[in-house]
Amino acid sequence: DAMVIQNPRYQVTQFGKPVTLSCSQTLNHNVMYWYQQKSSQAPKLLFHYYDKDFNNEADTPDNFQSRRPNTSFCFLDIRSPGLGDAAMYLCATSREGKGGEAFFGQGTRLTVV
Amino acid sequence: AQKVTQAQTEISVVEKEDVTLDCVYETRDTTYYLFWYKQPPSGELVFLIRRNSFDEQNEISGRYSWNFQKSTSSFNFTITASQVVDSAVYFCALSGFYGQNFVFGPGTRLSVLP
């Protein structure tokens, strides 16, 4: 029944070693988001796709990149993870023209060692 | 830029008390959507309600009710007869009509004590 699926649920990576987080959706939604949520903080929008149009938030570090090869999949690439990048990463989707009620995945908790 | 403010960082109430969580937003869009999400200790964000900017009717769903006032840019959330299971962080959020610029407020941590 899961509609937004994030893999893996837990990811441990080494300092400076590239890592990719994945998200897939079965909802056929136009909009996909990546959020970073650190402990006791609100989710912070990193970027979103409206179809294939990529929209980067102004304060998203260059270390974070994203790819959306098709409607169903979206990837978050962290090129050189630092200790400060340890967080929960949330993927979400919403429908065009609906002010998207956003459907969230369960998140991937990233640990950087 | 869009912004959501939740002035209450933490609230503690005793079970069965009513509690209101405040949300104030800023946007230049004429059409937008407002949301409330719940994040229990398990971590998953749970959708509670969406309200579009054209609809200022208040809504009630069981013990939950929402008061949307465009004139004061507020979208407050009230839990009646709170229960321990209501303990969570509650986020108010705002997006544009096409789902763009979906931003969360800082959240209010609600603790309901038995």
Side-chain angles (χ1 to χ4, degrees), chain A residues 1-11 20-27 32-37 43-44 46-47 66 72-78 87-93 102-110, chain B residues 39 42-45 104:
Chain A
D1 279 324
M3 296 177 287
V4 182
I5 302 165
Q6 291 187 245
N7 284 306
R9 292 288 310 280
Y10 301 91
Q11 175 74 55
T20 294
L21 310 182
S22 72
C23 177
S24 64
Q25 57 140 332
T26 59
L27 299 163
M32 292 188 78
Y33 309 84
W34 278 105
Y35 288 87
Q36 179 193 65
Q37 187 178 25
K44 178 180 177 300
L46 296 173
F47 22 61
S66 184
S72 301
F73 287 88
C74 196
F75 300 98
L76 170 62
D77 301 309
I78 308 176
M88 176 74 85
Y89 289 87
L90 297 166
C91 174
T93 73
F103 292 81
F104 283 83
Q106 290 187 296
T108 294
R109 184 165 295 283
L110 179 68
Chain B
Q39 191 173 42
S42 59
E44 189 167 346
L45 279 160
F104 286 90

Side-chain angles (χ1 to χ4, degrees), chain A residues 1-112:
Chain A
D1 279 324
M3 296 177 287
V4 182
I5 302 165
Q6 291 187 245
N7 284 306
R9 292 288 310 280
Y10 301 91
Q11 175 74 55
V12 180
T13 191
Q14 290 181 333
F15 182 94
K17 183 175 180 181
V19 64
T20 294
L21 310 182
S22 72
C23 177
S24 64
Q25 57 140 332
T26 59
L27 299 163
N28 205 34
H29 283 173
N30 295 83
V31 191
M32 292 188 78
Y33 309 84
W34 278 105
Y35 288 87
Q36 179 193 65
Q37 187 178 25
K38 295 188 177 181
S39 181
S40 301
Q41 295 184 21
K44 178 180 177 300
L45 183 63
L46 296 173
F47 22 61
H48 77 274
Y49 278 92
Y50 185 85
D51 290 327
K52 290 191 174 182
D53 291 335
F54 176 70
N55 299 273
N56 199 30
E57 294 300 297
D59 56 354
T60 298
D62 292 340
N63 198 25
F64 291 87
Q65 304 285 324
S66 184
R67 296 169 282 137
R68 189 178 186 188
N70 53 52
T71 300
S72 301
F73 287 88
C74 196
F75 300 98
L76 170 62
D77 301 309
I78 308 176
R79 292 192 296 187
S80 181
L83 297 179
D85 296 327
M88 176 74 85
Y89 289 87
L90 297 166
C91 174
T93 73
S94 66
R95 283 184 294 182
E96 172 185 5
K98 295 291 184 181
E101 166 197 343
F103 292 81
F104 283 83
Q106 290 187 296
T108 294
R109 184 165 295 283
L110 179 68
T111 301
V112 182

Side-chain angles (χ1 to χ4, degrees), chain B residues 20-38:
Chain B
T20 294
L21 310 181
D22 297 333
C23 172
V24 174
Y25 64 92
E26 295 175 30
T27 180
R28 291 180 184 169
D29 292 345
T30 54
T31 307
Y32 51 89
Y33 286 83
L34 294 160
F35 306 81
W36 277 94
Y37 281 83
K38 174 182 180 180

Side-chain angles (χ1 to χ4, degrees), chain B residues 47-86:
Chain B
F47 167 82
L48 296 177
I49 189 172
R50 179 187 69 203
R51 169 69 67 219
N52 78 52
S53 51
F54 293 132
D55 182 3
E56 289 193 67
Q57 275 193 329
N58 291 330
E59 182 157 341
I60 298 175
S61 175
R63 295 184 299 108
Y64 296 167
S65 62
W66 291 269
N67 184 336
F68 175 32
Q69 294 200 344
K70 209 167 177 179
S71 60
T72 57
S73 298
S74 66
F75 186 44
N76 296 337
F77 172 31
T78 297
I79 303 174
T80 303
S82 59
Q83 300 176 0
V84 172
V85 293
D86 295 328

